[in-house]
Amino acid sequence: MAADESNQEDDGMVPIGLGCANEEFKEVLEVKELLDSLPNVYNDQIAMETMRGSKVVVRLFPHEVVDVEPVLALLYKQDPKDFEAAETRYILLLWLSMACMIPFDLVRLDSNVVQESGDMRLPVMDRIYNIAMEYLTVVDKSRNAAAYLMSRFMTRPDVKKRKLTEFMDWALKFIENAEYITMTGADSLTGVLTTIGLMFKHGKREDLLQYAPTVLEKVVRQNLYECNNNRLRKYGVKVVQRLGTTFLPSRVAKWSKEAVKERIAMETTNGNEEDDDEDYDIPEEMEEVIEMLLTSLKDKDTIVRWSAAKGIGRITGRLPKELADEVVGSLLELFNLQESDGAWHGGCLALAELGRRGLLLPVRLPDVVPIVLKALAYDERRGTYSVGAHVRDAACYVCWAFARAYEPKEIAKYVNQIASLLIASIFDREVNVRRAASAAFQENVGRQGTFPHGIDILTKADYYAVGNRTHCYLDVSVYIAEFSEYTEALINHLADVKVHHWDSIIRELTAKALHNLTEKLPEHMAKTVLPQLLTHTTGLDLHSRHGTILAVAEITHALSSVAEQKNKTIVDMIDKGIIEDIKGIAAKMAALSAIQPLCNEYYQISPGAADHRIQEMMIEKYLRQLRASQEITRQGHSLALGALPEFMLRGKLRPVLAGLIQATQITDKDQKWAEGRRDALKAITRCEHVMCSLVQQCCEKIDRTRAHAGNVFSALLYHEDVCKSLNWAAPCDTFPLFTQLIKYPTYTYSVILGLAVSVGGITGFLVKHSSAALHSYLRNVAKDIPEMTRITSTITKVFKDYQKVDRVSLPMLKMLDQLLSKGCFDSLIQEERYCDLLQFPGEVRRMCLSNLCIFLCHRFPRIRKTTANKLYEVLVTYDDIAPEENVEELMTVLSETLWDEEIEKIKPVRNNKEDSVYDFKISSTVFARHITVK
């Protein structure tokens, strides 16, 4: 026994599991039976692996001695080119990667069994090596599992002695001669790089250090960072970072924050001190490794930048303090205006990794915090869109890491600056950034405890609340502004940044948010914000001009309300010079959203009565500009006339309409100004179509939209709110009311269009009440033939107008199916026993049957089978579709033909050109021969 133990120790093997190895494997048959049934559950295993990841799932596989041989045998039966079994091979390779780690020499599993060819069976070690090598260069997902298998397999003490050198020689030669220009070459090189990266991750440093310089040389020589394949660049970075961790000893730097904490605790307990200085032997290759990782932080793909950031974090933790500080300094150089958004994103990820690992010391905070604040507001305009959401998201990750890395006293003086996370969590355009900022703010509040009113704010601005952008701007911001520490910062951010945003929706929300926040700091708004915004109302940037005009209008409106509450006038709140500037805005610029609030505030002498002098001046100016020599001027003033409030048009409607109609006429001079004529038509039709559009929205499927439209509709109808008891969002209240509008021809089209989407929807509660309301109305007017004819004509028109719009046409078909199946159009037909479209006599029935027969040879088998089944049901249900002598023959063909066979075999049956058994054609002519059309 002593000799055996000595031999085991020499082999580097742990004497575990020898009992199993010496026993008879009675479970082999059971395992084989299990493997035979496995193909049925591979899809479930793939789903679990996709959801949790291979690192988690692989630990759950059985990994006893009896599992090795059956899994290996089943793998050898697989065809690497069979793409339908790719999931099977992937799961088996993952299983084998776990099973091959049995804790004793694989030689003990070898047997002297002679194969059918007369040769001895290969050793288990060679068979595993061969199968892994075979799948390393395939093009499907099995390549990743084979790489993981090879990396785990090569780290075994018995395997590395016999196979490691052989594999590394092959891999280095493969990398040197690889051509990644082709897809096959790129896939093969990806498999080899993945394996090497995982080997340097799982293997022992002393075993792999001798190969590291050569591998680095080969990878650098390939210039992978210049290739277009992002997977190759990613795995190239992974290999480089693992080589870097191999060059450096595996230790935690004593200067890191976590190590300092542990050492302080140890010194307090033991009362002794240790020398902080260590002898570091930094290889020359490390300079090249760090340079490549810093360069990869600027890569155009996120997966490459993310891998490089993690590599920076891993390597910096093994460097001396001075060299680590140089790495941080080089990293901070990425944050300048000359670098791309990718460099800012990669830099933020690297900073977060350093902070999370305790490698970003507090002495660097004065340099890092301003950079993070710039990244939180990073938004680079590019034409009609911008980039920067990923940078802002990564900046939130940095702030999240700060919360975990530093003590409250270390970060206390930066709390007010980091609190800008709160601004990002409610005012950022992207929902993922708002939620990331909210999570980072929550982490800082929980761990630091130094943020004013942090808990109260989190209850209102949590992860789910910030998901709705409108709610954030109009509700959450007002709640946070109640805390004086944040009020001015919120207002200044909106006034300095968001009013100039490229997205018009953000500008509009900003103006409304400023309106809501005005009552919190009215003096600041009047004395500081308004003068600042007025300077941009006539600027060259159209976005800034539009946003500031909206903001000025909303703030002025809010200040008037504040003045009224204090029994003051607007002049008491705003300087006289500013008021004169505001009055000139509407006359100088046709800012549609701003015109109405400005007119309401300054141009009515009493409720509903306009200042006649201003009215005459504005109308005359706008009408004169409708004849301007520039198209854009005509566009703006046409839309401006359409945006004027009702009291400004009172008594002037006739000349306004006349001027707009004239602007729509085509002349030789302006025949190309189509957009100018379009905007004039918009202004003319604004009043005529507003009610119809509201009616349509009141019948739509979205509850929130329906509720808002219902409130607006009732407000337009009644001076006072007489519909307070109605819940416009409830289908049971809304649809019975609006279906009554079908009787009015002006609204029929809009009601039918809205009901089509609701009745044909997928929400059960909505479909139930909308369809019930429509069926009830149609039953009440069923005997009024002219009315039913008008309704069906409108339905047909809606279907024609939207036949290529899936949002309407598909629900419309479902609605028609319901109406026809419930007999809503029975009054339009001659008999009562017909259903669906076949119940209509004459040409309708002929066209319907003709189209159904065309579907019998549709390219999709499912449609062919469904058509045949429906035709069979029609012949069984209705006895007047075809003469009695032909019904049985038709039904026999429809039921006995295999309609899911190839079309070439079905066409002769349908057309009866080759089959002489049937004396008719199942085609568009079958009804002329066998069916009596009434």
Side-chain angles (χ1 to χ4, degrees), residues 826-844:
D826 285 352
S827 60
L828 299 178
I829 59 178
Q830 297 177 359
E831 298 185 18
E832 297 181 355
R833 296 192 60 191
Y834 300 132
C835 73
D836 296 335
L837 293 176
L838 290 178
Q839 62 187 298
F840 294 95
E843 186 64 23
V844 174

Side-chain angles (χ1 to χ4, degrees), residues 427 488-501 510-511 514 517 524-525 528-530 532-533 536 544 547-548 551 555:
F427 290 147
E488 189 171 337
L490 294 178
I491 293 174
N492 290 341
H493 177 78
L494 291 174
D496 296 339
V497 179
K498 294 304 179 184
V499 293
H500 310 291
H501 199 273
T510 299
L514 287 171
L517 295 175
H524 178 69
M525 286 289 194
T528 305
V529 177
L530 265 182
Q532 173 187 338
L533 293 176
H536 297 282
S544 297
T548 51
I555 293 173

Side-chain angles (χ1 to χ4, degrees), residues 321 341 467 653 900:
K321 184 176 180 179
D341 59 292
L653 186 59
D900 54 357

Side-chain angles (χ1 to χ4, degrees), residues 173-213:
K173 186 176 180 180
F174 188 93
I175 294 174
E176 184 177 9
N177 299 326
E179 295 182 359
Y180 52 77
I181 298 177
T182 63
M183 183 63 70
T184 303
D187 289 334
S188 301
L189 184 56
T190 299
V192 176
L193 291 176
T194 305
T195 306
I196 293 178
L198 290 173
M199 282 178 58
F200 279 90
K201 175 182 178 180
H202 297 141
K204 294 182 179 180
R205 179 173 181 265
E206 54 269 20
D207 297 332
L208 299 170
L209 184 57
Q210 58 180 321
Y211 304 105

Side-chain angles (χ1 to χ4, degrees), residues 332-383:
L332 295 179
E333 294 177 0
L334 295 177
F335 299 98
N336 60 73
L337 299 179
Q338 285 72 35
E339 295 291 351
S340 65
D341 59 292
W344 279 72
H345 180 244
C348 286
L349 292 178
L351 285 177
E353 284 296 314
L354 294 175
R356 188 174 65 89
R357 299 168 187 268
L359 304 174
L360 198 60
L361 298 180
V363 70
R364 276 291 186 177
L365 282 178
D367 301 325
V368 173
V369 171
I371 289 175
V372 175
L373 295 180
K374 291 180 181 179
L376 280 173
Y378 189 93
D379 195 24
E380 183 181 347
R381 285 269 301 276
R382 292 187 181 175

Side-chain angles (χ1 to χ4, degrees), residues 767-870:
V767 173
K768 174 184 176 182
H769 291 285
S770 60
S771 59
L774 181 59
H775 298 162
S776 175
Y777 177 82
L778 292 178
R779 283 195 297 269
N780 292 336
V781 299
K783 296 182 180 180
D784 189 349
I785 302 301
E787 177 67 11
M788 290 297 295
T789 304
R790 185 182 67 83
I791 293 174
T792 54
S793 300
T794 304
I795 293 175
T796 304
K797 186 177 188 305
V798 172
F799 190 76
K800 287 181 178 180
D801 293 343
Y802 291 90
Q803 60 181 340
K804 294 184 179 181
V805 182
D806 292 345
R807 190 189 73 86
V808 177
S809 60
L810 296 180
M812 172 70 79
L813 291 173
K814 295 180 182 179
M815 184 187 77
L816 288 174
D817 181 63
Q818 291 187 34
L819 296 178
L820 291 169
S821 61
K822 292 183 180 295
C824 293
F825 300 121
D826 285 352
S827 60
L828 299 178
I829 59 178
Q830 297 177 359
E831 298 185 18
E832 297 181 355
R833 296 192 60 191
Y834 300 132
C835 73
D836 296 335
L837 293 176
L838 290 178
Q839 62 187 298
F840 294 95
E843 186 64 23
V844 174
R845 184 186 299 168
R846 182 186 301 276
M847 294 175 61
C848 177
L849 291 173
S850 178
N851 289 329
L852 286 173
C853 290
I854 293 174
F855 285 151
L856 287 174
C857 283
H858 197 275
R859 59 174 178 166
F860 295 130
R862 184 174 181 179
I863 294 179
R864 299 198 295 268
K865 293 175 65 176
T866 302
T867 304
N869 292 335
K870 292 296 182 181

Side-chain angles (χ1 to χ4, degrees), residues 185-242:
D187 289 334
S188 301
L189 184 56
T190 299
V192 176
L193 291 176
T194 305
T195 306
I196 293 178
L198 290 173
M199 282 178 58
F200 279 90
K201 175 182 178 180
H202 297 141
K204 294 182 179 180
R205 179 173 181 265
E206 54 269 20
D207 297 332
L208 299 170
L209 184 57
Q210 58 180 321
Y211 304 105
T214 309
V215 174
L216 179 62
E217 179 186 355
K218 301 295 184 183
V219 173
V220 171
R221 189 177 298 174
Q222 278 289 348
N223 292 329
L224 294 178
Y225 57 86
E226 295 181 354
C227 73
N228 294 324
N229 191 308
N230 58 358
R231 289 180 305 163
L232 271 180
R233 299 199 306 274
K234 170 189 172 182
Y235 287 111
V237 170
K238 283 186 175 294
V239 170
V240 169
Q241 65 166 285
R242 291 300 174 184

